[in-house]
Amino acid sequence: MLNHYKRILKDTDQRVARSLKTQIRTKGCHRGGFLDSVGLVQPKYAIYQVTTAIAAYCNFDSCYYRNADVYEMIRLGLKYIALNQHEDGLFDLINCNFHSAPDTAFCVKRMLPPLKYLDARQRDDMEESIYINLKEIVRCGMNGLKRGGFHTPNHRWVIASNLMECGRFFDDDDCFKQAQLYLNEGIDCNQDGEYAEKSSGNYNRINNDAMITLGDITGNDEYYSDAIRNLNMMLTYLEPDGSIFTANSTRQDQGALIYPKDYYLQYLSMGYRKNIPEFLDVANYIFQLIEEKRISSPDILIHFMNHPKLKSVEHDGVFRPGSYQNYYRDSGIVRACRNDNTYTLLLGKSDFFHYSQKTMHLQVKLGGSFCEHRAFIPESMEKMKDGYRLTQTMRGWYYLPFKEKPDTNDWWKMDHTKREKLHGPNLQILCDVLECEHGIDLHIKVSGVEQAPFRLEIEVSGADLLWNDQFALPAENGKSMVLKQGMAIFSNSSESLQIGPGFGEHLYINGLFGSEPRSEQAFTLYFTDYTKLDHVIHLETGHKVV
């Protein structure tokens, strides 16, 4: 992957150039630190800047090889990092976590590759100074990790894998013992390849990194298998535009536009080491995306330096998504690809249906108020012959008076769990998602009460126009329209998306308090009716544009 290496090297040099400009050189507690994008200065961010600079400083191909200015930046940065490391070895994530083992583990993870690189080579005086200071910071961090403590599922594996790696580097048996306490809980990667947080845009690859490290240290192939299962699953999470489907995540990447560049090293490494040609195809695909989308390459120069054989790997194949339909039951998601377009069904989410083309994305919600409910959130999803059935029963109820006088007249202090309830009526919602010859049909039924106003919310991003034979208007983000009848076409200069027939029996589109607001990142097309309602909505992609 020599061409990939050259691009990574170029981007590394550009990162170092920016760091030289953003390092704080004035006297004070922040001297040696770096300003991040929102003006914060903290050790974790400094560690990322310094470790990137170390890779460039030690790389003969870099324009900053043994550069005096870069050395001074590294020296000041390491001093700042050491001064901001607590006596217990832990670092703060100043906008969230203090004396944080998980954030320290992320820091140690970042520092170990340059430390191991320097450890394995002959060092000049400057490199020796870097090595000694970096080693001491990592050693102190290792002691902090022994103390432990975590918040989220992925933190366990980040801490455990770093303890294992530090245990080997520093020959410390206590690290292995502490790591095993976390590993005793069992890895949360299911048979589909999904981890507990379902974080396709971020923490899945963090978990994969940890699994690969654990496999390297322990020699247990089961850890590699976890990472490989997830990497295979992730191939079905790629959207037609190359981004990752993130709407099912339980973490901060939910709904974010993220490209898979940070999975590159995992596909390259596992593809090469485990002889999986498709993973090498994906590595090439990711670099095609990097060029096409004009985004930076992953910050992994040091890994090519530690594993130079990766630089000489040559592989011509490029990943091309095929047709598939996968129901990941434990994750509550269906991912399917037909004719280069994808659709997604989600259990337990109001945005229960997604459809993606290369340049446009559509998601569907069904809004309406029934007691405490504000939208259709599927409780069950079952496979049928031609598609899937999503259902929910909204259960009506009312409190009844206490049978005995309560201890207080303060509503908020009353124990309402002791009240009896009057149950009913119930509202049944059913949505069949059916593949048909020219697209997809959504058959929606709502029954149980009459004259309840419901609305189908169809949010489309990436379109320039919404039109049919009777009208045409810009499909501006944040805007909306009710389609009363007929089909409507969303289009841009590349492709189109036809949906309908519309129905518009009322204009009650905002809903009661607690309803989700209209999206500001998409145009919303509404179909409205009263219960009982029974409609089939057809969705079809095409190339008819205006």
Side-chain angles (χ1 to χ4, degrees), residues 36-87:
D36 69 12
S37 61
V38 295
L40 293 180
V41 184
Q42 57 178 317
K44 185 175 181 180
Y45 186 73
I47 286 166
Y48 277 66
Q49 309 312 301
V50 167
T51 51
T52 298
I54 293 172
Y57 182 81
C58 296
N59 190 302
F60 180 79
D61 297 325
S62 170
C63 67
Y64 291 111
Y65 178 62
R66 295 186 174 176
N67 179 279
D69 291 335
V70 173
Y71 171 76
E72 182 63 10
M73 180 181 74
I74 294 168
R75 186 188 71 80
L76 287 174
L78 289 173
K79 185 176 181 180
Y80 163 80
I81 293 163
L83 288 172
N84 284 274
Q85 188 173 25
H86 293 294
E87 289 184 3

Side-chain angles (χ1 to χ4, degrees), residues 260-539:
K261 72 172 189 176
D262 289 324
Y263 285 89
Y264 167 79
L265 183 62
Q266 296 171 9
Y267 281 110
L268 174 60
S269 176
M270 288 293 95
Y272 171 68
R273 293 167 60 184
K274 297 299 182 180
N275 191 27
I276 307 175
E278 186 179 27
F279 283 8
L280 298 179
D281 291 348
V282 179
N284 281 335
Y285 171 76
I286 290 172
F287 252 82
Q288 278 193 359
L289 280 176
I290 287 169
E291 298 295 339
E292 176 188 326
K293 304 296 180 181
R294 298 182 180 181
I295 56 179
S296 62
S297 59
D299 188 5
I300 56 170
L301 180 63
I302 192 65
H303 293 282
F304 275 92
M305 294 162 64
N306 280 329
H307 306 283
K309 287 184 179 180
L310 294 179
K311 187 165 62 172
S312 60
V313 172
E314 293 301 333
H315 183 81
D316 294 329
V318 179
F319 174 73
R320 291 287 179 267
S323 295
Y324 58 82
Q325 186 187 102
N326 291 2
Y327 183 6
Y328 299 123
R329 289 183 178 274
D330 289 344
S331 301
I333 183 172
V334 171
R335 284 286 296 169
C337 183
R338 297 178 68 209
N339 303 318
D340 298 325
N341 301 313
T342 63
Y343 71 86
T344 308
L345 309 178
L346 296 176
L347 192 64
K349 303 275 189 177
S350 61
D351 52 330
F352 64 91
F353 177 81
H354 290 250
Y355 186 88
S356 292
Q357 302 176 184
K358 191 171 181 63
T359 61
M360 283 192 282
H361 178 80
L362 172 148
Q363 68 180 41
V364 176
K365 302 176 182 178
L366 181 63
S369 299
F370 184 81
C371 294
E372 74 272 26
H373 303 280
R374 295 294 181 266
F376 172 48
I377 298 178
E379 298 169 329
S380 69
M381 181 160 59
E382 296 300 327
K383 180 82 169 69
M384 303 190 303
K385 180 180 179 181
D386 298 321
Y388 294 85
R389 172 165 290 177
L390 289 72
T391 61
Q392 180 188 16
T393 299
M394 295 181 177
R395 303 185 186 280
W397 59 271
Y398 295 89
Y399 281 133
L400 292 173
F402 287 112
K403 290 188 174 180
E404 297 182 3
K405 182 177 176 63
D407 296 332
T408 178
N409 66 349
D410 187 329
W411 173 267
W412 305 110
K413 293 180 180 179
M414 291 178 178
D415 185 358
H416 297 288
T417 62
K418 294 181 179 179
R419 287 185 184 273
E420 291 185 5
K421 290 181 179 179
L422 180 66
H423 294 281
N426 294 336
L427 187 77
Q428 287 81 34
I429 303 177
L430 177 151
C431 177
D432 288 343
V433 181
L434 307 170
E435 292 187 0
C436 52
E437 183 178 358
H438 297 294
I440 293 175
D441 286 340
L442 304 180
H443 187 183
I444 297 173
K445 295 182 179 180
V446 183
S447 61
V449 300
E450 296 185 4
Q451 295 300 303
F454 268 71
R455 64 196 178 275
L456 200 66
E457 305 174 15
I458 302 158
E459 300 174 0
V460 177
S461 57
D464 294 327
L465 291 173
L466 173 63
W467 58 281
N468 64 15
D469 291 338
Q470 282 75 44
F471 70 89
L473 72 158
E476 298 178 11
N477 290 349
K479 303 296 184 181
S480 66
M481 188 188 81
V482 176
L483 182 67
K484 294 181 69 69
Q485 62 182 13
M487 305 296 288
I489 299 172
F490 287 94
S491 67
N492 56 31
S493 61
S494 301
E495 53 193 357
S496 66
L497 189 59
Q498 181 174 239
I499 190 164
F503 44 92
E505 298 302 319
H506 61 79
L507 298 178
Y508 187 61
I509 58 176
N510 291 327
L512 283 179
F513 64 91
S515 298
E516 295 182 23
R518 183 169 63 239
S519 173
E520 295 297 323
Q521 284 73 52
F523 184 97
T524 303
L525 184 66
Y526 292 101
F527 298 171
T528 65
D529 202 353
Y530 299 94
T531 59
K532 302 177 179 180
L533 64 84
D534 186 342
H535 292 282
V536 176
I537 298 94
H538 180 69
L539 177 70

Side-chain angles (χ1 to χ4, degrees), residues 201-220:
N202 189 27
Y203 291 107
N204 279 4
R205 55 104 179 173
I206 296 294
N207 287 324
N208 289 342
D209 277 340
M211 295 304 109
I212 293 169
T213 297
L214 290 168
D216 290 344
I217 301 297
T218 66
N220 185 344

